[in-house]
Structures are given as C-alpha cells and as structure tokens.
C-alpha cells in the first residue's frame, strides 16, 4: 500500500481498474441525480422529538483512535422519514450525524486514523457538485469516491496533520493525524475541508466536536458534575421522503454561470441532527456548548431563559470574566462556539422556553424560525455552581503588538458582481494583491512569535466570518473597541461600504498558552515546526471559501510584508 504524507493512495489502483473495466457501482448508484425529487417536508411536528446527545469517546488518557466516515440512515425526527446522510463513528460502531464527541485532556496527545468508507460512487448530493471547483486533490471525483479532508477546527497541530485540502483522502484510504492537545481547553469542531466538496460534505453530515478539557480548571471552576449538553445547530433542506436536499432555488440568478452556490440556507433547523427537538433539562445548573455548524446561516437567537445564563467560554477557551447573555438578538456566526452556564434552580417542572431564530439573511425557501424547546424537569441534584469572578487571564495584545514589533496588514474582502448584481467570485486582497489557494505565492503571512495588527475592509453587503487556522485574535470595530475578554479563531467582519476599516484585529501568531498571564511558554514554542508548510485562512461561510475567499496562511520566521 502506497502512502504519501500519511495519505493512503491505493485508490489509484481502483481508478485504473475502473478505467479498464468501467465502474458499475458509479453508473448504478442509487444517489445519482434524476429529475424526480420529492417536495420539501411540510407540517413539521415541532418540539416532540427528544434531543439526542452524540456519543462520547473518552480519550483523556491518550492513545490511538480509529474513526471512519460512511453513509448512514439518520432519523430526523419531527415527523419526517429517515434519510441517508454522511456520518462519523469509531471503528466497530454505527456512523452517526453528528459524529461522536472526542473528549481529550490538555497536554495528553492522541492519534487518529480517519478512514473513508463512502463507496466508490457519486456524492449523495451529486446533482449539486460543480466540477470546476473540484480541482487538484479533489479532481479524481467520482472515480475515487467522495474526496474528504478532515480538519479539527481550532487545534494547534503541524500543517501535515491539519486536514488541509492537500491532505484529501479517498474511498478505502486513510489519513493519519497526531494531536498534542497542548493548548487552552475549549470546544473544537472536526469537519471536512476538501476542495470543491467541503460545503456539500458538511451539509451532508461531516461534522462533530472535539473537546480539550483541563481537569484542574474544571474542578477549580466548580464544573465537575454539572450536566454538559452539546447543541450543534445546522439548518437543512429535508424532503418529504426524508432525503437531504441542497440549495438550488437561488434568490439571485446570475447573467453568467457562477459555477457555485453563493450561500446555502435551509428551511428548517436541526440540533444535534434532530429537527426542532425537545430538550429536557433538570431544574439545576447546566452547561450548554452552543455550536453554529451551519454552512452560511448567521443565527440571531431569541433566548427566553437568557437571564438564567452566563457566558463562560468561546472559540479559544474560557473568557476572562463571565458575561451575561442577551435575551434578544444573541448572534452566533458560522463555526463560532459559546459555552454558558444556566441556572434553572427553583423553576417549576413543566416550564418551557422556545428558542427562535430571527432570520438575518434572505432565503428563497420558506423558513421555520423554531430551533428547540427547553423544558424543565425535576432536579436529581441540588448542586450549586459559584464561578470565580475571573476565569482566564490573558496578556495585553496591544502591548504585545508593540513589544514584538508586529506588522500591520490591510485585508479586503471582495465580492465581484455581474450586471444583474449577482456574485460571480469572491476574493481576499492584501495591499492590492489577490490572495487565494490557486498558487502558493498568493499567500497571507504572519510572523511566528509576534502579534500583528490586521485591518479588515469589507465593501460587500455581507458580514464574513473569517477564520485563521492555528492562531487566535482579539478584535473590535475600531482600536478602542477591542474585545479583550476572549480569544477568537473566527471573527466576523461587518460590511462597511465607505472604504474605511470595518474591523481591527490583533492576531497572535503564537501558541495560545503563551497568551496566558504568567505562562512560561515562549512565543515561538508551538512544540513543532510551523514555518515549513502553510495553513489556511478563509471565510467560514462554506460556499464563500470555495469561491476563492480562501488563501494559504503561512507563519514565517522573518517579517514578510506582502
């Protein structure tokens, strides 16, 4: 078996045999596109199906884990028939959507072999694939099956283990990764990053959580024994026969073919894969881990129980000071994670709270705003949680920018429109140069060990959730409004059409543990070499990234200004 950079390339033999003898499996695949499709599901039975928590794989003592991706029959709930999706599982278990939660301990390494068990057949959303986007490592589709590249969003890892598009693997092949978990505790997400297919793969179910836990901090913050509930939220298009659909009815019809879907929005919301579920919560303190895993939807939640809750963590780990939760217009952008403690002590059993989304974006589908119902049940414990007034202690990013003499960069998020006002291409531009993954010299840079100042311009009509692999930032609408309370790996750049700076970020190209006050870890000590190969930086609206709002992101040992 031939392997290159940890990737099993034996699919080449299968492709050669298919070339010689034809590929009956592909020709006869049940998911191949046809003209007849069931209409979208209507008359959902909201808040009846119980919320299901993903299984947890406890890897806190380290070791090796065998994971695979395959097709699976998924129960949507809400009165809909089951439908085929992609799912993850530990070897020997049934694949599920979302995948199982991988629970790890800070500083305890684990290794994972990811296996692609999706058959040598077209994608279950094959009718929505666009060959012009499936370049380089994805260009073998469908002869090599469904290409995938599994990335753990937010982990500090060598580039070769980061699940980049260059690490794509195929039917009956594997990808090996080694995760040191030597970083601040937080909630991470594993998802696909294959070129041209990541939006479809994620929409079809390739999503799961990866948690780095610090047992000492859990005890210090009185969190041991608190019910810990994961809430992975995605919008979907589900047909009356249970089959999964992808956006096709676009609100904007371009004059010329764009070869892509600008954004994909669903008509109904799922939480942990269940449509508008019922979440039963004891009348005690509970911990919610909110994850926006949607391709493009920006959620603006109405949280009727917000007064009972406090934010304790976000993308990069615990916040410095716990914060109240806004009851209305609490916004959660794609791939943002927020942890909160909610104290329901004293509430009467049967009390119910309906979580709704107030749509932020236009969609061509009729949208059901209901997300989930939280219903109080009798408590089995009287445990009370008293949080310290300060959880994390972070260094002053502005001071680090001055001390490390970090560069200042100017980044523009561009959207090219045709004569009808429809988007045809998106770009990242630095000092006038287009940056994308089409060529290695189209690269964004950051100097290892320094904190840089990035000035974002966004003359488009949309906010863009921007994500750097490997590093964290603190941001604000201007230099006087930097949110110093948290570490972010996804920031959202608001639109601003007057050519002025829309967002200011201090980007720490350092290990996140270096950013902790009193840390003995140096600014360049990632524990592995970070300057050899590039990572990625991109808009995390999945469809925007595929349409070139994605660039290589290279940490360098010396300043590189362009």
């Amino acid at each position: 078996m031939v392997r290159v950079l940890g990737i099993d390339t034996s699919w080449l033999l299968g492709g050669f045999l298919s070339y010689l003898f034809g590929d009956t499996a592909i020709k006869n695949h049940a998911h191949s596109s046809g003209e007849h499709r069931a209409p979208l599901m209507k008359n959902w039975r909201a808040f009846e199906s119980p919320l299901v928590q993903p299984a947890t794989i406890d890897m806190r003592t380290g070791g090796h884990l065998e994971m695979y991706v395959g097709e699976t029959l998924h129960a949507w709930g809400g009165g809909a028939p089951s439908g085929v999706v992609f799912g993850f599982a530990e070897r020997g278990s049934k694949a599920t959507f979302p995948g199982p939660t991988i629970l790890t301990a800070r500083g305890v390494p684990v290794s994972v072999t990811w296996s692609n068990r999706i058959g040598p057949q077209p994608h279950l959303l094959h009718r929505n694939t666009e060959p012009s986007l499936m370049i380089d490592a994805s260009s073998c589709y469908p002869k090599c099956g469904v290409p995938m590249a599994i990335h753990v969003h937010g982990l500090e890892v060598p580039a070769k283990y980061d699940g980049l598009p260059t690490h794509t693997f195929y039917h009956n092949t594997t990808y090996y990764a080694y995760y040191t978990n030597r970083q601040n505790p937080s909630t991470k997400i594993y998802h696909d990053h294959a070129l041209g297919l990541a939006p479809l793969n994620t929409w079809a179910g390739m999503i799961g959580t990866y948690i780095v836990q610090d047992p000492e901090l859990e005890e210090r913050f009185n969190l041991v024994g608190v019910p810990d509930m994961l809430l992975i939220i995605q919008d979907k298009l589900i047909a009356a026969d249970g089959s999964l659909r992808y956006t096709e009815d676009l609100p904007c019809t371009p004059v010329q073919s764009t070869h892509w879907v600008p954004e994909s929005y669903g008509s109904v919301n799922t939480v942990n894969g269940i449509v508008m579920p019922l979440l039963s919560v004891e009348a005690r303190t509970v911990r919610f881990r909110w994850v926006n895993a949607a391709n493009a939807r920006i959620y603006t939640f109405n949280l009727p129980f917000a007064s009972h809750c406090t934010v304790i963590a976000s993308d990069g780990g615990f916040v410095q000071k716990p914060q109240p939760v806004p009851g209305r217009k609490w916004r959660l952008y794609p791939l943002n994670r927020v942890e909160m403690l909610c104290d329901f002590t004293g509430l009467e059993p049967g009390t119910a709270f309906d979580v709704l989304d107030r749509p932020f974006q236009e969609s061509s589908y009729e949208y059901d705003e209901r997300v989930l119902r939280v219903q109080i049940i009798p408590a089995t414990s009287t445990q009370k949680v008293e949080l310290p007034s300060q959880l994390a202690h972070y260094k002053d990013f502005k001071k680090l920018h001055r001390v490390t003499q970090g560069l200042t960069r100017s980044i523009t998020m561009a959207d090219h429109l045709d004569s009808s006002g429809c988007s045809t291409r998106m770009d990242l531009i630095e000092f006038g140069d287009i940056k994308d993954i089409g060529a290695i010299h189209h690269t964004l840079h950051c100097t290892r060990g320094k904190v840089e100042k990035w000035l974002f311009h966004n003359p488009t009509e949309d906010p863009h959730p921007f994500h750097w692999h490997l590093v964290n930032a603190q941001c604000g609408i201007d230099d006087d409004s930097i949110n110093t309370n948290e570490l972010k790996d996804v920031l959202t750049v608001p639109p601003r059409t007057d050519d002025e700076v829309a967002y200011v970020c201090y980007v720490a190209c350092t290990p996140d543990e270096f950013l902790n006050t009193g840390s003995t870890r140096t600014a360049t000590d990632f524990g592995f070499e970070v300057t050899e190969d590039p990572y990625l930086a991109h808009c995390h609206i999945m469809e925007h990234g595929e349409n070139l709002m994605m660039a290589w992101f290279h940490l360098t040992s010396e300043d590189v200004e362009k």
Side-chain angles (χ1 to χ4, degrees):
M1 186 174 292
V2 181
R3 301 179 69 86
V4 179
L5 290 178
I7 302 172
D8 179 349
T9 58
S10 60
W11 69 268
L12 291 169
L13 176 60
F16 178 66
L17 293 175
S18 295
Y19 172 77
L20 290 178
F21 304 111
D23 196 333
T24 304
I26 290 178
K27 293 177 182 176
N28 295 335
H29 180 49
H31 297 307
S32 60
S33 62
E35 292 304 316
H36 174 72
R37 292 192 304 158
L40 291 180
M41 176 77 179
K42 302 287 186 181
N43 302 317
W44 290 97
R45 299 205 301 267
F47 311 142
E48 290 187 7
S49 302
L51 182 73
V52 177
Q53 288 295 309
T56 297
I57 302 174
D58 193 340
M59 298 295 294
R60 286 177 292 181
T61 58
H64 183 70
L65 177 62
E66 299 276 347
M67 294 284 289
Y68 76 90
V69 185
E71 289 190 344
T72 188
L73 191 63
H74 176 70
W76 296 110
S82 297
V84 176
V85 298
F86 294 153
F88 288 93
E90 185 176 8
R91 186 175 66 175
S93 300
K94 180 181 181 293
T96 62
F97 156 63
T101 296
I102 301 173
L103 178 61
T104 68
R106 183 181 194 172
V108 179
V110 301
S111 58
V112 180
T113 297
W114 303 92
S115 299
N116 184 338
R117 293 192 189 172
I118 297 175
Q121 60 203 25
H123 201 285
L124 64 86
L125 298 171
H126 176 68
R127 64 180 289 130
N128 303 107
T129 57
E130 173 48 55
S132 67
L133 296 177
M134 290 182 288
I135 59 175
D136 298 332
S138 297
S139 61
C140 62
Y141 174 84
K143 289 293 185 181
C144 57
V146 176
M148 62 185 68
I150 305 304
H151 164 66
V152 183
H153 177 117
L155 270 192
E156 294 180 6
V157 293
K160 65 180 179 179
Y161 299 140
D162 197 37
L164 302 172
T166 48
H167 304 149
T168 299
F169 57 110
Y170 314 93
H171 168 62
N172 274 347
T173 68
T174 61
Y175 173 66
Y176 172 86
Y178 183 81
Y179 308 131
T180 64
N181 301 315
R182 189 181 171 211
Q183 62 188 105
N184 289 330
S186 62
T187 303
K188 313 297 184 185
I189 302 295
Y190 58 88
H191 67 86
D192 175 64
H193 235 312
L195 283 175
L197 284 170
L200 295 178
N201 285 348
T202 302
W203 187 271
M206 289 191 197
I207 197 82
T209 52
Y210 184 107
I211 295 175
V212 180
Q213 186 186 83
D214 186 327
E216 181 181 333
L217 291 183
E218 293 289 304
E219 185 169 353
R220 185 189 307 170
F221 299 158
N222 304 309
L223 299 174
V224 176
V226 175
D228 195 336
M229 299 184 180
L230 184 64
L231 304 173
I232 302 177
I233 304 173
Q234 289 182 305
D235 55 339
K236 297 293 181 193
L237 293 168
I238 302 169
D241 62 0
S243 61
L244 184 64
R245 298 259 294 274
Y246 185 72
T247 297
E248 292 183 358
D249 298 330
L250 303 178
C252 186
T253 303
V255 172
Q256 58 184 4
S257 174
T258 64
H259 302 295
W260 69 302
V261 174
E263 295 94 15
S264 187
Y265 298 118
S267 61
V268 68
N269 291 297
T270 67
V271 185
N272 298 351
I274 307 299
V275 175
M276 295 183 286
L278 174 66
L279 171 58
S280 296
V281 175
E282 292 186 18
R284 57 180 295 192
T285 300
V286 299
R287 182 180 190 172
F288 290 142
R289 297 178 189 259
W290 298 81
V291 177
N292 181 352
N295 277 32
R297 185 170 295 281
I298 298 169
Y299 284 103
T300 307
F301 291 119
N302 174 32
L303 288 183
F305 54 84
S307 61
H308 297 272
C309 302
T310 302
V311 172
I312 62 170
S314 64
D315 297 351
F318 288 111
V319 298
Q320 297 208 75
K321 294 184 180 298
Q323 296 291 308
V325 180
R328 295 181 180 275
K329 296 185 178 180
W330 177 55
R331 193 156 285 173
L332 195 64
Y333 293 91
L335 265 286
N336 277 154
R337 293 90 68 206
V338 172
E339 297 178 36
M340 60 177 68
L341 280 186
C342 297
D343 186 359
F344 297 119
T345 303
L347 292 184
E348 287 294 323
T351 302
F353 303 98
D354 291 351
V355 178
L356 307 177
D357 172 43
R358 302 305 186 190
F360 181 74
Q361 301 119 316
E362 294 182 4
S363 172
S364 55
Y365 298 95
E366 183 179 348
Y367 177 59
D368 195 319
E369 300 178 1
R370 295 172 293 180
V371 179
L372 81 157
R373 173 172 291 170
V374 176
Q375 183 165 296
I376 305 301
I377 61 175
T380 59
S381 170
T382 58
Q383 177 187 7
K384 292 285 289 183
V385 177
E386 294 186 10
L387 285 172
S389 60
Q390 182 142 357
L391 302 178
H393 299 261
Y394 298 129
K395 296 174 182 176
D396 184 328
F397 277 40
K398 289 184 181 180
K399 181 178 180 180
L400 288 173
H401 175 241
R402 294 192 301 270
V403 170
T404 63
Q405 298 182 324
L407 295 176
T408 297
R409 303 182 188 274
S410 178
I411 309 296
T412 299
M413 314 187 90
D415 189 359
H416 303 273
L417 307 179
D418 65 15
S419 58
S420 66
C422 293
S423 181
T424 60
R425 173 191 168 104
M426 292 185 164
D427 287 316
L428 293 172
I429 301 173
E430 182 183 16
F431 297 120
D433 290 342
I434 293 176
K435 307 293 183 179
D436 62 50
I437 60 171
I440 199 66
H441 61 272
H442 295 168
T443 299
L444 294 169
H445 299 90
C446 191
T447 308
R448 179 190 59 184
K450 294 189 176 185
V451 173
E452 298 189 345
K453 185 177 182 179
W454 288 37
L455 308 177
F456 285 90
H457 298 259
N458 181 11
T460 77
E461 296 180 351
D462 301 318
H464 294 286
F466 185 83
H467 169 53
W468 300 268
H469 289 211
L470 188 66
V471 304
N472 290 277
Q474 291 184 340
C475 308
I477 58 173
D478 56 41
D479 213 36
D480 297 323
S481 306
I482 303 299
N483 182 353
T484 62
N485 198 48
E486 59 185 352
L487 302 181
K488 299 289 290 182
D489 58 35
V490 179
L491 67 103
T492 299
V493 183
R496 183 165 179 173
T497 57
D498 59 2
D499 293 329
E500 297 297 322
V501 173
Y503 223 53
V504 178
C505 286
Y506 287 88
V507 185
C509 291
T510 70
D512 68 5
E513 288 186 338
F514 163 76
L515 301 171
N516 300 332
T517 302
S519 172
T520 59
R521 196 165 173 184
T522 67
T524 58
D525 177 22
F526 282 90
F528 48 84
E529 182 53 59
V530 296
T531 61
E532 290 180 350
D533 299 304
Y535 293 81
L536 279 182
H538 56 93
C539 177
H540 226 301
I541 291 177
M542 301 294 289
E543 290 77 14
H544 290 187
E546 289 302 311
N547 198 44
L548 299 181
M549 196 172 272
M550 176 162 55
W552 295 114
F553 174 59
H554 201 172
L555 270 66
T556 56
S557 55
E558 304 291 338
D559 289 341
V560 177
E561 296 198 35
K562 290 185 68 174

